[in-house]
Amino acid sequence: MMKQLKFWAAVALAASLTACGSEGTNDETTDNDTTATAATGTTFSRESLIADITMDEELVLNQDVTDTKTKAYANRVLQNYLTFIAAYPADTLCDDYAFKAASVAKGLGHHHQAIQLYEKIYNEYPDFDQREYCLYMVAFTYDYDLKNVEKAKAAYQKVIEEMPGHQFAIDAQVALDNLGLSDEELIKKFMEQNKEGNGGA
């Protein structure tokens, strides 16, 4: 149940954030009517691929990710996101699809793939309105999902250096201060800080 909630929280967040950021944008590009060929050898058009993505998004939304069929749809829409990005790299939908792909990959437990996508968004889509979030999610994924303290530390430090004063930089500093601590150590640290804040009472 917790895995299901985490997965759909990530997908819902991606959908809501990209919806907010896409108002007033034009999805049409010069690639509109071109065709491309997937790694499988299948030829498709931009519009047909968008239709497939939309259909799979509807099939997996609010469904149980542990269900075999739903998981298959989630994997398929993830692959279609990646196929679209590779086939139409200049399309205005690429940042949106990359963001959703990262969220789906993370929800499916493909954490390294999610990190690669978050980094791609941060490095290649400078105008994407959730770019800062993506940089933070690199650190967060290393920290909470992969338990890689060294890489998490470096990623949090990058957030602090590149976004001084931003809320994500503040959050990154807090995470950095608590990095590697067990739940028991965090509770003890909190209690000590609370005690100090109350004047040692």
Side-chain angles (χ1 to χ4, degrees), residues 1 35 43 58 60 64 97 110 124-125 157 160 164 166 170 173-174 196:
M1 181 62 178
T35 60
T43 300
E58 293 174 353
V60 300
D64 184 357
Y97 282 171
H110 306 330
E124 297 182 20
Y125 305 121
Q157 288 175 332
I160 295 168
H166 195 285
I170 296 171
Q173 186 60 63
V174 172
E196 290 174 1

Side-chain angles (χ1 to χ4, degrees), residues 44-142:
F44 54 86
S45 69
R46 175 182 181 273
E47 294 307 318
S48 68
L49 189 54
I50 291 174
D52 287 344
I53 288 172
T54 301
M55 179 183 68
D56 283 339
E57 286 177 338
E58 293 174 353
L59 287 171
V60 300
L61 186 63
N62 296 325
Q63 300 299 314
D64 184 357
V65 71
T66 61
D67 176 75
T68 302
K69 185 178 292 187
T70 303
K71 189 173 183 179
Y73 291 144
N75 276 296
R76 188 169 69 186
V77 75
L78 173 59
Q79 186 55 52
N80 280 337
Y81 287 142
L82 300 178
T83 298
F84 186 96
I85 293 166
Y88 307 105
D91 198 283
T92 56
L93 287 174
C94 283
D95 52 4
D96 182 3
Y97 282 171
F99 188 62
K100 289 181 178 179
S103 298
V104 173
K106 190 173 186 301
L108 288 169
H110 306 330
H111 300 303
H112 288 289
Q113 184 179 33
I115 287 172
Q116 291 176 347
L117 286 162
Y118 285 131
E119 288 178 334
K120 176 182 178 67
I121 295 166
Y122 186 78
N123 293 326
E124 297 182 20
Y125 305 121
D127 297 325
F128 186 55
D129 62 351
Q130 299 303 324
R131 183 171 174 263
E132 292 83 1
Y133 169 86
C134 291
L135 183 61
Y136 182 82
M137 285 304 297
V138 171
F140 182 89
T141 304
Y142 274 131

